Each structure stands twice: as structure tokens, then as C-alpha cells.
Amino acid sequence: MVVLLRPASRGTVSLASEDPLECPACDLGYFTDPADYDVMCKRIKFTKRIGEKMREHGMRMKDMYMPDGLHLSLMDCINSMAEGHPDDEHVNT
């Protein structure tokens, strides 16, 4: 798993209304700073190399789609992962 421990991107949290029971408005701001893409691309490629070496030494690992072509295809992959999943419905964007 690859994560950004110190992302340069910043999001915001603000009140959605005066109703204290209403969830706040959250803009997580994933990858709004291009530097985060560079860090993620480098870390994903590094992690992929580790996985390849582990397989070479006989370790069984599940397959996972990770583009290894152009930088752009890797950025598309990162974007699709950052867009969220149905489980993220509790976060207002």
C-alpha cells in the first residue's frame, strides 16, 4: 500500500449550514498540488519493483493492476483511486 504521509495538497472543512446536526462540507483536496503526483508515481513504481522481486524469490502474491507505461497512465490510475468509492458516501464533497 502506498500513501502520502506528508501531502502538499490541502483541503477544507467548513460549516454547510447553521444546523449543528448537519454534516460539514468537506473538500478533501486530494492531489490539488502536483508535487503529490510525483511522489505517488515514484512510490508506486518502487512498490511494484519490490513486488516483482518478491515474486522472483518465490513469494505468492495477488495480482494488482498497476500501469507501468507512461507517467500519464499512472496519474490516471491515481486520479481514479482518489475520486472515491461508494463507501465514502458519508463524506460530503
Side-chain angles (χ1 to χ4, degrees):
M1 175 185 280
V2 178
V3 297
L4 285 172
L5 295 178
R6 293 185 207 109
S9 299
R10 296 288 180 247
T12 60
V13 178
S14 59
L15 296 176
S17 75
E18 293 182 9
D19 180 356
L21 300 177
E22 187 172 334
C23 292
C26 300
D27 174 7
L28 302 179
Y30 290 132
F31 299 104
T32 52
D33 189 310
D36 290 344
Y37 279 109
D38 294 334
V39 171
M40 282 298 285
C41 287
K42 288 176 186 175
R43 298 300 174 246
I44 289 171
K45 290 176 183 177
F46 180 70
T47 301
K48 186 174 182 179
R49 285 197 317 264
I50 290 172
E52 290 167 354
K53 291 294 180 185
M54 291 172 74
R55 279 194 173 151
E56 287 176 15
H57 287 81
M59 296 192 80
R60 292 182 3 193
M61 300 178 66
K62 290 185 177 182
D63 287 332
M64 181 179 155
Y65 170 72
M66 290 176 46
D68 52 49
L70 299 172
H71 183 73
L72 182 59
S73 65
L74 192 53
M75 287 175 60
D76 289 340
C77 184
I78 292 169
N79 273 331
S80 68
M81 286 187 251
E83 286 175 1
H85 302 281
D87 295 339
D88 295 337
E89 291 176 4
H90 63 280
V91 177
N92 295 339
T93 56

